[in-house]
Amino acid sequence: MEKKNILIFVLDQLAWRALDIHGGFAAAPNIAKLAQDGVDVDECYCPYPLCQPSRASFWTGKFSHRNRVWSNGRKWKITEIGEDVPTLGSVFSEHGYQTMHFGKKHDGGALRGFWCDEEKEKWIADENPAFPFNMDTYADAYTVERSVDYLSSYSYEKPLMMVVDLINPHNICGWIGKNRGVHDDVPFSGALPELPPNYHFDDIANRPIPVQYLCCSHVRQSQTVGWTDMNFRHYLAAYSYYLGIADSYIGRVLEALDKSGGRDDTLIVLFSDHGDNITSRQSVTKQVTLYEEVVRVPLIFSGCKVGRKGVHVKGLASLLDLFPTLCSYASIPVPEGLDGMDISSIFSSGDIPKREYVESEWFTEWGYTISPGRMIRSGQWKYIRYLEGDGEELYDLQHDPYEMRNLAGVAEYFAKKEMMRALLAKHLDKTDDPFLSLNWKASPKWRSHELGYQCHRGITAPEDTEEQ
């Protein structure tokens, strides 16, 4: 059987809910075209809403608690993925694929088996003074240039698995830093997006302690102290702008694929490593929380062998499914011990195999505060638990899709909470997850101010030299 090519686009920090094809505020025409020419998975979850742990997970097909990549580094050092762990790149290269990776890595060694291009930057001039570029966009400019050059000269003598790993819309993080605190936004000609229904955080006293004090562990959140509603709307406009840059780069790579003659024989996959809070609960970027905005991500399969076109697929999926699904697509044996499942049936039927639940986890960003948490979703129900304070959350996503009311403490939902507790316990046992034996860490000074992110004062734990 002739092996077909695979082109993978990874974006950084793209929330499923942000895209206009899902009713969101951000237009991305090239992503929309991919969805129109394929299947768009509506309920896909990342295994960990943080860059390095999520990437290590989907490249190995294993939960973070199994591959032990639990942070972005710094104070909580990670041990890179061992040679004995199969990776997507190693398996496909062993089966005759030319495996190429361009762009962001931050993978904890999980990209083993890919030939990885250098991570470099190409300076480009700002196009709009309201939305300045930083190293994230410069890196993407270099990544796309290298990707286009490679496709322009590829002969397809071997089947190609190529990853274009973009950082945007992550440039939004630097934008926050340039607009920290009380400020007047640089005006621009476009319309400002509306704030989401869950912008006002009226239920904060009913949330777990790590969520209540997110501003103390997350530098970017603390930099929004003093922001007005209009400032948060400008955040959404900037986020949409940086996504537009990434979308235009996707278009350039697809154009190069067309010119290379490989489009008809290529499966195109697009997803994001995690989401962004997009001003829900007056919060930005991602850290600690396990809400839909940060754990639910786009996943699109388009092109070769995708028989259904323009289908929005309902049913639970995980980025852990990427590894076994691509193996199935390429008729490659699936390595034993993967945590995801083969969902390649959506290529022909447009349906995802039914599963009991999906799970996502949290441990720490940099090691300055540690807040072990787990999220499990089954059907319309979602349950979250943190070890600090034994905090619990329960949501009925059918009736409360924006997670505005935590039902964990409501008596009439105790039976449902017990059901979800039992399901989490089943998962912990099944996957040898040490969650319940982990330790949390947070100095009392990071739990001391009046509740409300706008009540934060001073530095955060990652900025405190005493924490170093």
Side-chain angles (χ1 to χ4, degrees), residues 99-110:
T99 48
M100 305 294 298
H101 181 278
F102 297 92
K104 178 171 180 172
K105 291 186 282 191
H106 208 188
D107 61 303

Side-chain angles (χ1 to χ4, degrees), residues 359 374-376 383-385 419-429 433 435:
E359 193 261 8
R374 295 291 183 268
M375 179 283 292
I376 195 160
Y383 174 75
I384 301 171
R385 182 178 176 188
M419 180 194 78
M420 296 301 289
R421 279 176 171 173
L423 188 57
L424 176 60
K426 175 181 175 181
H427 169 77
L428 299 180
D429 182 64
D433 187 343
F435 172 58

